[in-house]
Amino acid sequence: MGRTIAIGDVHGCARELEKLLKKLKPQKSDRIIQLGDLINKGPDSHEAIRLAKAYDIQAIMGNHEMRLLSAKKEKRLKYLNSHYHHTYKQLNKSDWKFLKHLPKFIYEGALDTLFVHGGFVPNEPWHSQSLDTVTNVQVITKEGLPEKRTHRSKSKLWVNYWKELTFVIYGHTPRRRIFKKRNTLCLDTGCVYGGKLTAYLVEENKLISVNAKQTYC
Ligand SMILES: [Mn+2]
């Protein structure tokens, strides 16, 4: 039986992704899931997508993919910052197609495990939550709404409200180390900020990471 491997936020750090994949030595029977924000902020988003395709990685929609896709669709690119412009210029037709078809989350029944970019809000079944919510949530406001960590520093993290038995593996909220709480695991170890790119081997409960070659952002 193959392994189930989750990979955290890549943000265009293609060299680090390649190094991590070489360390993981993926087999045909393995299933690799990238937790979203494969692109943007870092140096080479096109190459990150190319690697994802070459290694048959199932990526999930992140807030950066979503923001870029909706800006393209609504022709309001000029409102985006320079990271997005840099990424936009790199992507070809097939890259856009790849991004467009990314799923909102992946549920693996055999492992009772959910893979998502941001997380979930309380008081609403996880499977019916919006793409906007699951790609963006970091903390929960008093009103029970999703919000950014930097906007509401006193609000609690969404994981504080997670009461399901289903295990959630997510990214989006970078920290120096992986973060475990209440049946959840955050794999965003801030590669683009000069941290690490981290993979988690679900069945073996094992972490493998590579250091960022430099601070990109
Ligand atoms: Mn994100």
Side-chain angles (χ1 to χ4, degrees), residues 121-203:
V121 291
N123 311 321
E124 196 188 332
W126 62 261
H127 46 84
S128 57
Q129 298 192 17
S130 72
L131 188 55
D132 210 41
T133 295
V134 304
T135 55
N136 282 295
V137 64
Q138 289 183 317
V139 299
I140 307 291
T141 67
K142 263 188 261 163
E143 299 76 31
L145 299 170
E147 188 52 276
K148 274 186 161 185
R149 184 172 48 170
T150 46
H151 288 183
R152 297 284 184 107
S153 57
K154 278 182 189 156
S155 297
K156 282 186 183 163
L157 295 165
W158 74 269
V159 294
N160 287 287
Y161 301 91
W162 186 251
K163 294 189 176 88
E164 309 288 324
L165 293 172
T166 302
F167 187 51
V168 183
I169 305 176
Y170 68 106
H172 186 54
T173 302
R175 294 182 182 83
R176 289 207 165 271
R177 294 164 197 273
I178 58 137
F179 181 70
K180 269 179 146 175
K181 185 154 189 169
R182 270 190 184 260
N183 227 9
T184 68
L185 173 66
C186 181
L187 289 185
D188 187 358
T189 43
C191 187
V192 78
Y193 307 109
K196 290 173 196 290
L197 181 63
T198 301
Y200 177 63
L201 284 64
V202 183
E203 288 86 352

Side-chain angles (χ1 to χ4, degrees), residues 5 19 25 46-47 56 69 74-75 80 99 113 117 130 142 144 156 166 168 176 178 187 194 200 208 211 215:
I5 303 167
K19 205 173 159 195
K25 297 189 184 69
H46 168 72
E47 179 64 8
D56 204 15
L69 283 163
E74 289 156 25
K75 298 189 170 61
L80 298 178
L99 296 178
T113 298
H117 181 62
S130 72
K142 263 188 261 163
K156 282 186 183 163
T166 302
V168 183
R176 289 207 165 271
I178 58 137
L187 289 185
Y200 177 63
I208 293 180
N211 291 323
T215 301

Side-chain angles (χ1 to χ4, degrees), residues 59-84:
I60 297 173
M61 190 69 81
N63 55 311
H64 282 260
E65 286 85 6
M66 225 181 78
R67 192 128 188 253
L68 201 63
L69 283 163
S70 56
K72 186 174 188 263
K73 201 175 160 195
E74 289 156 25
K75 298 189 170 61
R76 42 176 187 77
L77 273 168
K78 62 179 174 189
Y79 302 113
L80 298 178
N81 70 29
S82 61
H83 297 306
Y84 288 91

Side-chain angles (χ1 to χ4, degrees), residues 87-125:
T87 303
Y88 190 89
K89 280 184 233 153
Q90 288 180 342
L91 303 184
N92 62 29
K93 227 179 168 180
S94 122
D95 295 334
W96 284 109
K97 201 176 157 194
F98 177 90
L99 296 178
K100 218 174 137 183
H101 291 98
L102 296 178
K104 182 153 78 166
F105 39 64
I106 292 172
Y107 176 66
E108 183 54 66
L111 301 165
D112 193 18
T113 298
L114 262 168
F115 302 84
V116 68
H117 181 62
F120 299 98
V121 291
N123 311 321
E124 196 188 332

